[in-house]
Amino acid sequence: MDPLAVTRRHFLKNSTLGLGALGLGSLEAPLSLNSGGIHSFAPKAKRVIYLFQSGGPAAQDLFDNKPLLREKHGQPLPDFVRRGQRLTGMSANQAELPLAGSAFNFIKAGKCGMELSEVMPETAKIADELCLVRSMWTEAINHDPAITFFQTGSQIAGRPCLGAWVSYGLGSMNENLPSFVVLVTANQGDQPLYSRLWGSGFLDARFQGTQFRAGKNPVLYLTNPEGVSNQSRRALLDTLGQLSKLQTQATLDPAIESRMAQYELAYRMQTSVPEVTDTSTEPDETFQLYGEDARKPGTFAANCLLARRLAEKGVRFIQLYHQGWDHHGGLPGAMRGQAKLTDKASAALVLDLKRRGMLDDTLVIWGGEFGRTSYSQGKLAKNDYGRDHHPRSFSLWMAGGGVKPGFTYGRTDDYGYNIADAQGNPITPSKDHFTPGVVHVHDLQATILHLLGFDHTRLSYRYQGRDFRLTDVHGHVVKDLLA
């Protein structure tokens, strides 16, 4: 070996007493929780299904009943409520900001009495399984940085996403499928989504999400081209593996081994992917549960059903994206449409996991990147209004995976504009310290990692001389949410 070509990786590998090999293992291999927690506590969840509702669903119309808004419908937002908080450029020039009461009634659902909108009747049926957070807050006021922040812990693109961190930390439970799969509702439109949202950033490319698409070929370029048999593909990979081994010895580039691992996984997926995506074997009762849309590949309902099948097969992190919640105008009609697409299937997924004995160790998350304003953007009518972006307070629900069922956490003021304390007084939270009843994006991320068995401050990766983590230098585990 050329001594000038020896890298830190080679030095560690060849160090005496095996210490170098241990160090190398920590650099190359995912961590494992198969035998219990790696950070001094056992995980409560083995996997995550994240139903991301892109666009920002309005909590005032879904999860956070505000009778005062109906009472003061059309009256201007008081200055003492706004408290000088910034607005987007879409409503900053309005002569006034008229309050908009919800067009929907709320019902008390389940034994827990959770108040939920009539527009989500199926979700109401699983109220006793839900852990509803009404006091989420974020820092970003526009879609792209807000979604990026939720997915990667930074408003600036380029960091590893939540699913990549989980894949890096836990590895796979099925060597024939990716540990991280992404499903996007087909033909939905609205605010754009980018593949970097499920990217691995500076982590190894093995940990990025693999998008499954609707149609004959769920994974692009997975099937053999015409005239290429499985035998010839196997021979090609074997030869390529030999050449890659020689290249690795010459260049010491770890990306070569990673690339070969992905090629081999793709080969195994040629059999496993068609099997897991074929829902024709599901009984009619399953489609009755999820809705008839579940028979149409690419719909949100079909993706929810596929998420359950992927979870059964051992996929660690399953990320669904559903667009269409950006309701700047015509909200009542648009929200009824969105509820029709998502309500039944979201509830069905929770019920399906529970009846299969999987809900206890599967964390299901439902929510968007921020909330909506309590005032109407643009023209306000008696039964029609829109809502602008609002990062200061919004709602999100979780189920299973170690969170408290039938539980509501946090509150907003009577106007639904600010997070409030237990007495209903508006407060200004800070991500630098934990405030009971308040959940910042980094707090949510820290809590998700905790449920998976991680201390979020220790799940880190050194890059360009700095230790990076999903929660940056912030985040607190919200223990009140834990069962």
Side-chain angles (χ1 to χ4, degrees):
M1 181 182 296
D2 181 357
L4 297 179
V6 175
T7 66
R8 174 173 172 267
R9 188 176 295 269
H10 263 69
F11 172 77
L12 289 171
K13 187 174 183 179
N14 291 287
S15 293
T16 59
L17 302 178
L19 294 176
L22 291 174
L24 181 63
S26 68
L27 288 172
E28 292 185 331
L31 305 169
S32 175
L33 288 183
N34 292 333
S35 59
I38 62 169
H39 289 163
S40 303
F41 52 89
K44 295 186 176 181
K46 291 181 180 179
R47 64 190 74 82
V48 175
I49 302 176
Y50 198 152
L51 311 177
F52 195 89
Q53 309 301 309
S54 174
Q60 302 92 327
D61 299 286
L62 294 174
F63 308 113
D64 199 2
N65 187 23
K66 295 300 171 187
L68 186 65
L69 290 183
R70 296 188 190 89
E71 179 185 326
K72 293 183 177 292
H73 188 83
Q75 296 182 26
L77 175 72
D79 290 339
F80 72 84
V81 175
R82 180 182 167 190
R83 306 170 75 196
Q85 293 169 8
R86 62 177 173 160
L87 308 177
T88 74
M90 292 170 283
S91 59
N93 296 321
Q94 288 184 204
E96 64 176 22
L97 304 172
L99 295 171
S102 178
F104 310 118
N105 294 319
F106 278 67
I107 58 174
K108 288 191 175 183
K111 295 179 181 178
C112 63
M114 186 180 292
E115 276 197 300
L116 298 172
S117 172
E118 63 180 352
V119 80
M120 290 285 202
E122 300 301 321
T123 300
K125 293 177 182 178
I126 60 166
D128 290 330
E129 303 296 338
L130 303 184
C131 180
L132 175 62
V133 179
R134 287 188 174 138
S135 54
M136 286 297 308
W137 73 281
T138 185
E139 298 152 47
I141 200 170
N142 289 312
H143 294 286
D144 186 78
I147 296 177
T148 304
F149 192 39
F150 250 98
Q151 300 298 281
T152 71
S154 172
Q155 296 184 48
I156 301 173
R159 300 279 184 90
C161 69
L162 172 60
W165 278 111
V166 173
S167 183
Y168 162 67
L170 292 178
S172 177
M173 294 187 287
N174 185 336
E175 64 176 9
N176 296 322
L177 287 170
S179 60
F180 176 19
V181 171
V182 176
L183 305 169
V184 180
T185 304
N187 305 316
Q188 185 62 18
D190 203 12
Q191 292 296 326
L193 299 171
Y194 309 96
S195 60
R196 60 174 170 76
L197 294 173
W198 50 90
S200 57
F202 45 70
L203 295 177
D204 193 294
R206 285 176 294 171
F207 307 124
Q208 68 185 355
T210 299
Q211 185 177 355
F212 281 25
R213 293 165 168 82
K216 184 179 180 181
N217 297 309
V219 180
L220 296 180
Y221 313 116
L222 187 64
T223 57
N224 292 328
E226 187 176 348
V228 176
S229 66
N230 282 340
Q231 291 77 9
S232 61
R233 173 61 67 91
R234 182 67 263 169
L236 173 65
L237 286 175
D238 290 342
T239 302
L240 185 59
Q242 294 172 4
L243 294 173
S244 295
K245 190 173 183 179
L246 294 173
Q247 188 72 1
T248 299
Q249 292 173 349
T251 65
L252 310 177
D253 183 359
I256 298 172
E257 293 181 352
S258 176
R259 195 176 302 121
M260 278 306 305
Q262 290 176 295
Y263 291 159
E264 290 290 350
L265 174 59
Y267 179 78
R268 297 192 298 272
M269 285 167 59
Q270 288 184 322
T271 300
S272 61
V273 168
E275 177 187 357
V276 76
T277 57
D278 180 12
T279 61
S280 63
T281 57
E282 293 284 346
D284 288 341
E285 186 271 338
T286 297
F287 294 105
Q288 292 171 6
L289 179 66
Y290 284 86
E292 285 302 306
D293 272 357
R295 297 184 187 273
K296 306 172 186 175
T299 62
F300 181 77
N303 286 345
C304 283
L305 173 56
L306 180 54
R308 187 267 290 165
R309 292 172 63 87
L310 289 166
E312 282 183 309
K313 294 294 186 179
V315 176
R316 286 283 189 189
F317 200 98
I318 306 155
Q319 178 86 59
L320 276 67
Y321 288 96
H322 179 81
Q323 298 159 287
W325 292 97
D326 191 23
H327 300 151
H328 289 274
L331 183 147
M335 185 159 283
R336 288 187 181 93
Q338 284 293 87
K340 185 177 180 181
L341 293 174
T342 61
D343 175 44
K344 187 175 181 67
S346 299
L349 175 61
V350 174
L351 291 171
D352 204 5
L353 290 169
K354 184 175 182 179
R355 69 180 184 176
R356 293 169 186 271
M358 296 175 61
L359 186 60
D360 286 345
D361 58 11
T362 303
L363 178 64
V364 182
I365 309 167
W366 193 105
E369 66 268 33
F370 46 48
R372 314 301 295 198
T373 56
S374 296
Y375 62 80
S376 178
Q377 179 187 331
K379 187 177 180 180
L380 173 68
K382 183 177 180 180
N383 295 312
D384 195 21
Y385 52 90
R387 301 191 190 275
D388 203 353
H389 309 165
H390 190 61
R392 297 297 300 178
S393 62
F394 57 104
S395 298
L396 171 149
W397 64 254
M398 296 179 282
V403 297
K404 287 181 180 177
F407 180 64
T408 300
Y409 186 74
R411 61 175 296 181
T412 57
D413 62 23
D414 290 341
Y415 290 85
Y417 201 85
N418 297 290
I419 293 175
D421 61 19
Q423 289 71 44
N425 302 311
I427 59 176
T428 302
S430 170
K431 65 180 179 181
D432 295 325
H433 58 80
F434 177 68
T435 302
V438 177
V439 184
H440 180 262
V441 173
H442 285 319
D443 297 335
L444 177 70
Q445 293 163 341
T447 304
I448 293 170
L449 292 180
H450 178 88
L451 290 166
L452 290 165
F454 291 111
D455 176 346
H456 71 102
T457 67
R458 296 173 61 192
L459 181 62
S460 63
Y461 189 90
R462 180 161 288 267
Y463 175 67
Q464 294 184 341
R466 176 192 160 186
D467 289 332
F468 284 85
R469 68 185 207 224
L470 174 65
T471 53
D472 195 41
V473 296
H474 303 286
H476 307 82
V477 175
V478 187
K479 295 183 179 180
D480 288 339
L481 299 178
L482 308 182

